[in-house]
Amino acid sequence: TPWLNVNHEPSSKKTVLEIQCTDQLGLVYQFANAITQQGFNIIFSRMSIEYGEVVTIFQINKNNSDETTTAKDLIALRESINKIIEIKK
């Protein structure tokens, strides 16, 4: 079952995305593209695949480090990632 967890830590200005869904060619590229299109930088990522399911973790922050990540930013990011996950169902 696909799922997405978004955990934002305002004091460090970092956000962690945890994504699980069925693996498919180009999936991580789609995630990375969605993240950058929403105005975030990828600081760190890790991926594991088991039995055709991929779990990907991204640590991200805003492109402009002085900019505060808003709830609106996180909602837009969640919607972008959810569109990718839904296609993979």
Side-chain angles (χ1 to χ4, degrees):
T1 303
W3 56 264
L4 167 63
N5 182 42
V6 179
N7 183 19
H8 178 65
E9 184 59 50
S11 62
S12 67
K13 296 187 178 183
K14 292 178 184 167
T15 302
V16 175
L17 303 177
E18 297 174 276
I19 309 163
Q20 179 179 330
C21 64
T22 302
D23 189 23
Q24 185 171 340
L25 185 64
L27 186 63
V28 175
Y29 168 79
Q30 291 178 56
F31 292 150
N33 190 48
I35 290 166
T36 57
Q37 290 294 316
Q38 292 298 324
F40 290 91
N41 288 320
I42 298 170
I43 301 167
F44 171 84
S45 69
R46 174 172 283 170
M47 179 181 80
S48 66
I49 303 170
E50 189 171 325
Y51 303 110
E53 289 289 307
V54 62
V55 176
T56 308
I57 298 170
F58 291 98
Q59 183 179 13
I60 63 175
N61 66 3
K62 291 294 283 183
N63 283 340
N64 180 349
S65 60
D66 295 331
E67 201 174 317
T68 301
T69 301
T70 65
K72 185 177 178 179
D73 295 329
L74 297 174
I75 290 168
L77 178 60
R78 178 182 286 275
E79 288 172 354
S80 293
I81 297 297
N82 274 334
K83 286 179 186 175
I84 297 167
I85 291 173
E86 287 173 10
I87 293 169
K88 308 301 176 246
K89 285 185 180 179

